[in-house]
Amino acid sequence: MVVKKVALVVVGLMCLCGNAMAQDAKSVIAAAQKALGDAKSITYSGSAKDVAFQQCGANAAAMNCQGPHDPMRPISNYVRVLDLAAPASRHAGGTNNIGPGGSTTVAPGTFFQQVTPQQADVAQPWGGSVEFYLTPWGFLKGAADNNATASRRKVDGKNYTVLTWIPTVKAASGKAYVINGYVNDANQVERVETWLGDNIMGDMQIVATYTGWKDFGGAMAPAKIVQTRGGLPFFEVDVTAARANPADVAALVPAPAPPAGRGGGPGGGPGGAPPALTVTTEKLGDGLYRLTTGAGSYDTLVVEFKDYVMMLEAGQPEARGVAYIAETKKLFPSKPLRYVWNSHPHSDHTGGLPALVAEGVTLITQQNNKAFFERALNTPRTLLNDTLAKNPKKVKIETIAEKKVYSDGTRTVEFHHIYPSPHSNGLTIAFIPKEKILFQADYTLPAAGQQPNDHIKALQPAVEKLNLDFEQYIPVHRGAAPQTKADLWKAMGK
């Protein structure tokens, strides 16, 4: 009986503690909203910079890529609007940067992103909501609507009240997402963090920091906003003006007209369903095959050595990597798949890698990419339900400096670093001497009548200097027709 009474007292104390935490959270939210001016909507403007995830924003001021997310792309005339009643968010600005594929021809462009009311529904995919709820105003709205709790925490020697809430939607693994907001003693939100399951970055932490809070003529806003993803710079804003509750909130950032001729979802099929992957093989030589899934494929070469098999490129998405592994095992059932070469760390060339890591395959990549892959592929994957999440392994890496050769006396594959390049500072090409093949990623030849971009202009002299005796010019991004050395030389006017 005494034990039961003690247990009841403990349960009662826990309930009281939980109620106190919830009540404390409500008062913290109310105080923070008041400190931010109790705005129903807000707009702020200034200059910004961003980057496509896992790439770099080479631009008119910095033509060559220095590493993942370095440099970032400048955005001029930046403006953002948050409508808490909708709830919705839009931001836009102007770009004036180099063109796609490594072109250093500077051209004006438009930055535009939005979170619609449907996307802001916390029962919808968290990735579509994040940019709204990472803002101080959006975070506090979410905290008020989703039973936030409060705790005290010290970060970098500074004390914060941390508000935590959980959206309704669950991760692919079934685990709940979590979002935290750090409120300082002045009731200002200085930091918001959450996590997304990312194919290459695992449980990718997203952190937005807000510093230099001040009154912009009646609107409280931070002077500096910095967002990182997976520890990498991702988005920054220098705020120079802000307005609270603007009367013309709906018109401040009009949506651009949708591109003509586009339908369906991102996968090109109904509702964005990804196309089915059927692997076909093409024999290029003894123990050498090209694997493809047809038009739009990320192609792979598999090379047989005496004691093992090497895969050149894993493509994306993960399903393609899984399919290529299965096909490689069919082609070479008695030999282990020991190596996979990655040309550079952009997302469309890394998506299949988690499946290879789960197989225990060693990654070959340029040394500038090593730190990125070690951090990314060794991150916990509790939010994911992919091959590597189900069969966790630490990534094994062998690096290329300027040149690396794998040979067993009969079969040889060479890897060469191509730099400087606008596209990536860790980009390598593969050369197979026996069949005279140069296998490359993103060195796309220009269409008839067009000029080669500066990416191609970086490759051609490097190939000449290396004196590579190749005839076949095979791209990872499958082309409409076979290409040769003569095609590369013709594109360069030789």
Side-chain angles (χ1 to χ4, degrees), residues 17-30 139-140 143 146-153 160-166 179-183:
C17 181
N19 289 335
M21 288 176 65
Q23 185 60 43
D24 183 50
K26 288 180 180 179
S27 63
V28 173
I29 294 166
F139 172 79
L140 291 172
N146 292 280
N147 301 313
T149 59
S151 61
R152 293 291 288 176
R153 195 177 304 177
Y160 292 95
T161 299
V162 181
L163 295 168
T164 300
W165 58 272
I166 296 172
I179 183 166
N180 300 317
Y182 293 71
V183 182

Side-chain angles (χ1 to χ4, degrees), residues 367-443:
Q367 63 187 12
N368 291 338
N369 308 327
K370 185 183 181 194
F372 170 78
F373 280 122
E374 285 182 333
R375 177 169 54 184
L377 289 167
N378 290 331
T379 304
R381 303 175 80 82
T382 66
L383 297 172
L384 296 165
N385 193 35
D386 66 358
T387 309
L388 187 54
K390 294 173 183 175
N391 186 25
K393 283 189 173 66
K394 292 291 185 182
V395 64
K396 297 178 291 185
I397 299 177
E398 291 186 11
T399 60
I400 306 160
E402 295 307 307
K403 176 181 178 180
K404 195 176 186 75
V405 178
Y406 288 80
S407 181
D408 60 8
T410 58
R411 170 61 71 188
T412 298
V413 177
E414 299 179 10
F415 301 108
H416 298 273
H417 182 211
I418 307 298
Y419 194 78
S421 169
H423 200 59
S424 169
N425 75 325
L427 206 155
T428 52
I429 58 173
F431 172 55
I432 304 174
K434 187 176 180 181
E435 286 77 16
K436 297 187 176 183
I437 290 172
L438 191 154
F439 187 47
Q440 50 77 26
D442 295 353
Y443 289 104

Side-chain angles (χ1 to χ4, degrees), residues 123-468:
Q124 297 300 312
W126 189 226
S129 307
V130 160
E131 287 295 341
F132 177 82
Y133 291 111
L134 278 177
T135 69
W137 305 271
F139 172 79
L140 291 172
K141 175 178 173 56
D145 293 345
N146 292 280
N147 301 313
T149 59
S151 61
R152 293 291 288 176
R153 195 177 304 177
K154 181 176 283 190
V155 178
D156 296 331
K158 190 172 181 178
N159 290 316
Y160 292 95
T161 299
V162 181
L163 295 168
T164 300
W165 58 272
I166 296 172
T168 308
V169 66
K170 295 292 190 290
S173 64
K175 183 178 177 180
Y177 293 107
V178 174
I179 183 166
N180 300 317
Y182 293 71
V183 182
N184 63 23
D185 291 340
N187 297 315
Q188 298 160 339
V189 179
E190 285 194 1
R191 169 186 170 117
V192 181
E193 66 182 359
T194 189
W195 290 260
L196 276 176
D198 180 78
N199 169 261
I200 192 70
M201 301 294 288
D203 291 352
M204 178 176 65
Q205 187 185 33
I206 303 175
V207 179
T209 56
Y210 303 91
T211 55
W213 281 93
K214 65 178 184 177
D215 187 337
F216 287 90
M220 289 297 297
K224 184 74 174 181
I225 301 170
V226 175
Q227 184 187 142
T228 62
R229 295 197 172 202
L232 296 169
F234 182 71
F235 189 76
E236 294 184 16
V237 184
D238 288 307
V239 178
T240 56
R243 281 194 294 152
N245 305 315
D248 54 346
V249 62
L252 284 172
V253 185
R262 292 186 63 183
L277 295 176
T278 301
V279 179
T280 58
T281 63
E282 176 189 355
K283 187 172 183 178
L284 301 176
D286 291 336
L288 176 62
Y289 292 86
R290 181 180 189 173
L291 308 185
T292 185
T293 58
S297 174
Y298 297 83
D299 286 359
T300 282
L301 302 189
V302 286
V303 189
E304 180 185 23
F305 287 78
K306 285 181 180 178
D307 300 320
Y308 61 87
V309 178
M310 176 184 290
M311 180 180 288
L312 306 182
E313 279 282 290
Q316 66 95 12
E318 183 205 16
R320 184 174 274 107
V322 170
Y324 284 165
I325 291 169
E327 189 64 28
T328 301
K329 289 180 177 180
K330 288 180 185 177
L331 290 169
F332 308 105
S334 61
K335 292 186 179 179
L337 177 54
R338 184 175 296 176
Y339 294 108
V340 59
W341 165 70
N342 166 259
S343 61
H344 63 300
H346 290 179
S347 57
D348 57 333
H349 296 272
T350 60
L353 288 178
L356 276 297
V357 175
E359 287 280 324
V361 177
T362 298
L363 173 62
I364 302 170
T365 193
Q366 211 278 329
Q367 63 187 12
N368 291 338
N369 308 327
K370 185 183 181 194
F372 170 78
F373 280 122
E374 285 182 333
R375 177 169 54 184
L377 289 167
N378 290 331
T379 304
R381 303 175 80 82
T382 66
L383 297 172
L384 296 165
N385 193 35
D386 66 358
T387 309
L388 187 54
K390 294 173 183 175
N391 186 25
K393 283 189 173 66
K394 292 291 185 182
V395 64
K396 297 178 291 185
I397 299 177
E398 291 186 11
T399 60
I400 306 160
E402 295 307 307
K403 176 181 178 180
K404 195 176 186 75
V405 178
Y406 288 80
S407 181
D408 60 8
T410 58
R411 170 61 71 188
T412 298
V413 177
E414 299 179 10
F415 301 108
H416 298 273
H417 182 211
I418 307 298
Y419 194 78
S421 169
H423 200 59
S424 169
N425 75 325
L427 206 155
T428 52
I429 58 173
F431 172 55
I432 304 174
K434 187 176 180 181
E435 286 77 16
K436 297 187 176 183
I437 290 172
L438 191 154
F439 187 47
Q440 50 77 26
D442 295 353
Y443 289 104
T444 305
L445 298 184
Q450 294 185 353
Q451 294 298 309
N453 63 39
D454 291 83
H455 194 41
I456 291 290
K457 291 177 182 177
L459 174 66
Q460 185 267 331
V463 169
E464 280 193 312
K465 184 177 180 180
L466 292 168
N467 197 28
L468 300 182

